Amino acid sequence: MTLHPGLEVVSGLIGTWRGDGHGEYPTIESFDYVEEVTFTDVGKPFLHYAQMTWSPSGAPMHTETGYLRIINGTGVEFVLAQPTGQTELSEGPLESKTDGFTCELRSQVHNSGSAKHVEATLRHIELAGGVLTTSFAMAAAGVPMTHHLASQMHSIS
Amino acid sequence: MTLHPGLEVVSGLIGTWRGDGHGEYPTIESFDYVEEVTFTDVGKPFLHYAQMTWSPSGAPMHTETGYLRIINGTGVEFVLAQPTGQTELSEGPLESKTDGFTCELRSQVHNSGSAKHVEATLRHIELAGGVLTTSFAMAAAGVPMTHHLASQMHSIS
């Protein structure tokens, strides 16, 4: 399967990544977690994305899924579904680097009728030196945009 | 893994379904397709959803993914990401039947900056007599809500 040329700039993402993360938010106790993400090429101009996190003891925590779209080599559209009842449409510019890229994505979040209300999120994704670094801030539960999650992952397949 | 009790009403969905579909819309030529959907229990109060369609000759067409949430046994929240740049939050009442259920879901659709604009969708999902029947209407490309897709699938695993 030939990679769509529009995805060359993020080709280093394809595969499965695993590493440790740390979460914090004003309304909860801080916590550590293990994160695994997989970006899959399906022969189209986007990558399929699947993510899972676990507590350090192995209990499942969060999961999310969606698609990463690259627009003209310079823009990212991260289209996400959350099992907690939110859709998240995160967009921002892509900055290519010699061994990867960085991007900061601002979201439109929409909440289902029964969901705890999330106002907005801010994601930073960086691939550099063989390390995938993510951070995630959100405005939710009456708290303005505040840092929530950070992880560093290495390729495992 | 024990099924979350809130998912009993849709437990018949769990597994993989495959069958034929037909598409039409005022702006395009009608077409036939093959559809496969998988609903997966991950031990939480939602099912993971993954869908793919192919042309009758086997060429990949659409794919979508997300989560099916059941609210108090009487409501459906279908949280979806589309690789075409849309998030779709589809909600509606769930009607249980002796051998399945039916639901009609109205959506909030949100479009990324580069996406072709979809205004809204309407999904009907029915499980009855061992057949999973779906239909999908959308308002898009200046066309008001109009029928687009219909499929009938049988369990394959």
Side-chain angles (χ1 to χ4, degrees):
Chain A
M1 195 159 55
T2 307
L3 186 68
H4 190 283
L7 295 175
E8 272 302 331
V9 65
V10 292
S11 62
L13 271 183
I14 296 169
T16 299
W17 302 78
R18 192 175 178 109
D20 295 325
H22 182 75
E24 56 198 288
Y25 206 64
T27 57
I28 57 172
E29 296 224 3
S30 298
F31 60 95
D32 294 317
Y33 61 93
V34 176
E35 181 168 15
E36 188 175 297
V37 304
T38 301
F39 290 93
T40 306
D41 174 32
V42 296
K44 296 227 176 186
F46 56 81
L47 298 179
H48 175 268
Y49 166 76
Q51 184 259 23
M52 287 182 290
T53 62
W54 296 267
S55 72
S57 66
M61 293 176 68
H62 185 67
T63 186
E64 62 189 29
T65 191
Y67 303 99
L68 186 77
R69 289 161 54 89
I70 304 300
I71 310 305
N72 298 327
T74 58
V76 174
E77 297 177 351
F78 206 12
V79 187
L80 296 168
Q82 302 285 355
T84 42
Q86 290 86 20
T87 60
E88 185 183 339
L89 189 49
S90 286
E91 302 177 70
L94 179 72
E95 186 182 343
S96 293
K97 306 222 166 182
T98 50
D99 63 346
F101 66 89
T102 185
C103 61
E104 187 174 85
L105 309 178
R106 291 176 186 277
S107 71
Q108 301 175 60
V109 177
H110 299 278
N111 296 272
S112 68
S114 75
K116 290 184 186 170
H117 202 75
V118 177
E119 296 286 341
T121 72
L122 181 62
R123 288 177 184 259
H124 185 264
I125 304 171
E126 179 173 82
L127 177 61
V131 180
L132 179 60
T133 302
T134 77
S135 71
F136 178 88
M138 68 177 178
V143 179
M145 188 66 76
T146 300
H147 175 72
H148 179 36
L149 302 169
S151 66
Q152 286 204 320
M153 292 173 274
H154 292 83
S155 173
I156 61 167
S157 68
Chain B
M1 193 159 56
T2 306
L3 187 67
H4 189 282
L7 295 174
E8 272 301 332
V9 65
V10 293
S11 62
L13 273 184
I14 296 169
T16 299
W17 302 78
R18 194 178 177 107
D20 294 327
H22 182 76
E24 56 198 287
Y25 206 65
T27 56
I28 56 171
E29 295 225 3
S30 298
F31 59 96
D32 294 317
Y33 61 92
V34 177
E35 181 169 13
E36 188 175 297
V37 305
T38 301
F39 289 93
T40 307
D41 174 33
V42 295
K44 296 228 177 184
F46 56 82
L47 298 179
H48 176 268
Y49 165 76
Q51 185 257 23
M52 286 182 292
T53 63
W54 297 266
S55 72
S57 66
M61 293 176 69
H62 185 67
T63 187
E64 62 189 29
T65 192
Y67 303 98
L68 187 76
R69 289 160 54 89
I70 304 301
I71 311 304
N72 299 327
T74 59
V76 175
E77 296 177 352
F78 206 12
V79 187
L80 296 168
Q82 303 284 356
T84 43
Q86 291 84 21
T87 59
E88 186 184 338
L89 188 49
S90 285
E91 302 178 70
L94 179 73
E95 186 182 343
S96 293
K97 306 222 164 181
T98 50
D99 64 346
F101 66 88
T102 184
C103 61
E104 188 174 84
L105 310 178
R106 290 175 187 276
S107 71
Q108 302 175 61
V109 176
H110 300 277
N111 297 272
S112 68
S114 75
K116 290 184 186 170
H117 203 74
V118 178
E119 294 286 342
T121 72
L122 181 62
R123 290 177 183 257
H124 185 264
I125 305 171
E126 180 174 81
L127 177 61
V131 180
L132 179 61
T133 302
T134 76
S135 70
F136 177 88
M138 69 176 177
V143 178
M145 188 66 76
T146 300
H147 175 72
H148 179 36
L149 303 169
S151 66
Q152 287 204 319
M153 292 174 273
H154 292 82
S155 173
I156 62 167
S157 68

